[in-house]
Amino acid sequence: MLLSSLQENQRYTTFMILLMSLKKDPRQAEGEVHYMQVNPIVGNTYVPKSNQTSRSSVNGFMSTMAKAAGESSSYKVYLKKDDMLYSGGNGTGLSFYLKYAEDSTADNPKVVARGVDENGKEFEQTINVKDVNPQNATVVEMHALEAVSGAPKRNGLTSLPMGSENVGLNQRQDFMAAFKKNIADMNLLGEYVIAQEYGKLLHFYEKFEDAGFSKTNQDNITGVSSTAFSSNNVLKDIITLGNDIKTVNASEFKEVQSANYKLVPESDVGALRIYVDGESAGLFFPENMTIQEDPTTGLKVLVGEIPGVKDSWYDAIPVTDELEKALTEAIGVDEIPHKKLEGFYIGTHEGTGIRYLMRPGDEGRGGKVLLCNAVDEARYKALAEEYAKKYPNLVTSQEAGLFYASLEIRGMAHRGENGIVMTHPGNISYNDNDDAKKNWSAKIDERTWELMLGWFENHRLNTEEMTMFKYWDDLINKIGGSYERIWSDEEERQGYLYQ
């Protein structure tokens, strides 16, 4: 689950290295460049030893690239011109550009795609953009939808999810599912800002499917009208205030600054970003603007989810009187509705007393740490510093310390005598601070994870023994679970286990 995102970075890096090993071919037509293969890349690539299963996918990609390099004399790149909506390609050899079709209209936008497929064969397609379904689309169709809809792009590059790049011309994918996987992976990595960015894009395409095309803009392309995403259709939502119903246009949200909070509208997706002491706490949509109260702890929280998307990522922030007042000003209402906390529970970290929000079923892969006051903040930073002090070879920055502190509070990281044990659905692993030879990892299935969660409820981990894999072997056998050990290269070469 986690490695998929890391593997994509490896694939992209490999492709860029390969592309840099190519030299320009003097044979080229206007608007295109050919690159001749000089030396196909062969040999080893770095693969994390913590999960040997990643090796096959990366080597498979290398094999594909080497094969393509050996069979094809050139890689065609189309230089973007003023009348093009898009020009690009991917690591398979697929390369293409997009233009509006001659019969494209504002009500029925059409795009022509021309280029070469992953086998070097020229192609031409006409895409009726209104018929593109993000849940079953090719990468070419999605780039057409991206260009015509005006979708916001991450870092100005693309609005498509990671993992959708290296596919062939006619390979269809569920891009919405890919967004959700990106969000889950980034949350697990602690890259919450990136997770929010993917959440915004998921929400954009979800809303786009509902709103369709209804607003026409003039492009710089002479004689061409393009159809843009209609913010009027997308940004209007309803907030229920008791027995009253107030229609709120999110494009009219106001920026509000208070002593500790800053609320900033993000009109492209119709949401409000909340900053606490200058740090982003999350993105909240009008449908989320209900303060939820936990009857057990009395804690009040604002939970941000993507409307209409089941089991999406979520943001959460403790609500103070100051924040509630700022929300009413930003939204333009007299009061924010309250209700009992639903679909989530509040947990408490035993060591620090810091609370966290968790959706049932997200244990080991989700949740949000809730820093309710200055005491919580101090304890959170102290826990991060403890990680950095105890494991200096593993935790090499303040950000890394905070990352591990967040994982521990949510039950995913466990401090051992000389290393860190990580537990989450699909995998348990150990990283030693002094001796990497003592690292180990194992895959587990969902059933075993559920059995482990039940055991954790009534037992404490033995911090001295849990760093040895034998401890987990005995535990998993005791609860009736199963696992598959993932061997490092060194373990395979030496023929024995570091137990």
Side-chain angles (χ1 to χ4, degrees), residues 176-391:
M176 309 307 278
F179 276 124
K180 294 175 184 177
K181 189 175 190 318
N182 289 170
I183 293 165
D185 286 350
M186 291 301 104
N187 274 324
L188 187 59
L189 275 170
E191 297 290 349
Y192 303 122
V193 173
I194 299 177
Q196 291 170 9
E197 291 173 355
Y198 281 124
K200 286 172 59 177
L201 292 170
L202 175 61
H203 185 59
F204 178 93
Y205 284 112
E206 286 281 347
K207 286 287 190 179
F208 188 86
E209 288 184 295
D210 296 335
F213 297 82
S214 60
K215 182 180 178 183
T216 302
N217 288 338
Q218 294 296 321
D219 282 347
N220 294 325
I221 303 173
T222 305
V224 176
S225 294
S226 70
T227 308
F229 181 47
S230 173
S231 60
N232 289 335
N233 284 346
V234 172
L235 305 182
K236 187 174 290 185
D237 294 286
I238 293 177
I239 294 180
T240 302
L241 303 175
N243 295 324
D244 300 325
I245 293 181
K246 179 178 177 61
T247 300
V248 177
N249 192 328
S251 62
E252 298 176 357
F253 283 174
K254 298 177 182 178
E255 183 171 318
V256 173
Q257 175 83 57
S258 67
N260 298 293
Y261 302 96
K262 184 176 182 180
L263 284 61
V264 180
E266 296 201 359
S267 57
D268 56 342
V269 292
L272 199 63
R273 185 172 295 280
I274 300 178
Y275 294 87
V276 183
D277 296 329
E279 298 289 333
S280 174
L283 195 65
F284 300 87
F285 296 89
E287 295 92 330
N288 307 147
M289 297 301 178
T290 299
I291 296 172
Q292 303 193 51
E293 300 184 31
D294 178 44
T296 303
T297 63
L299 189 64
K300 297 188 292 185
V301 294
L302 191 67
V303 181
E305 296 182 273
I306 300 176
V309 182
K310 183 180 180 182
D311 296 335
S312 65
W313 62 257
Y314 48 92
D315 288 314
I317 181 173
V319 177
T320 62
D321 292 341
E322 179 189 346
L323 176 57
E324 186 167 357
K325 183 176 183 297
L327 283 169
T328 61
E329 295 175 7
I331 298 171
V333 296
D334 294 330
E335 62 179 6
I336 305 295
H338 288 232
K339 71 174 183 179
K340 180 181 176 181
L341 182 64
E342 296 177 351
F344 298 87
Y345 66 87
I346 302 292
T348 303
H349 178 244
E350 183 177 353
T352 61
I354 295 174
R355 290 167 176 159
Y356 59 88
L357 181 83
M358 185 71 67
R359 178 161 44 205
D362 280 359
E363 292 83 0
R365 54 190 143 206
K368 294 293 178 181
V369 174
L370 302 173
L371 301 179
C372 301
N373 47 50
V375 174
D376 283 350
E377 291 183 15
R379 290 174 177 172
Y380 185 50
K381 292 178 180 178
L383 181 58
E385 290 171 359
E386 186 172 343
Y387 268 95
K389 182 178 180 180
K390 192 169 185 177
Y391 315 112

Side-chain angles (χ1 to χ4, degrees), residues 87-152:
S87 173
N90 62 31
T92 68
L94 174 65
S95 181
F96 61 97
Y97 65 88
L98 304 174
K99 290 184 178 182
Y100 276 109
E102 291 184 1
D103 59 345
S104 178
T105 65
D107 293 331
N108 188 27
K110 295 181 181 180
V111 169
V112 175
R114 296 186 181 96
V116 293
D117 66 13
E118 61 273 20
N119 298 311
K121 183 178 179 181
E122 293 188 351
F123 73 90
E124 178 176 321
Q125 294 179 350
T126 299
I127 301 167
N128 189 327
V129 181
K130 293 179 71 173
D131 293 336
V132 176
N133 176 11
Q135 297 183 56
N136 184 31
T138 67
V139 68
V140 176
E141 291 173 344
M142 280 300 292
H143 276 297
L145 177 59
E146 173 189 63
V148 174
S149 68

Side-chain angles (χ1 to χ4, degrees), residues 444-457:
I444 58 175
D445 56 24
E446 192 69 26
R447 175 180 169 275
T448 300
W449 174 247
E450 293 296 331
L451 291 171
M452 287 174 61
L453 285 178
W455 188 89
F456 290 157
E457 288 181 1

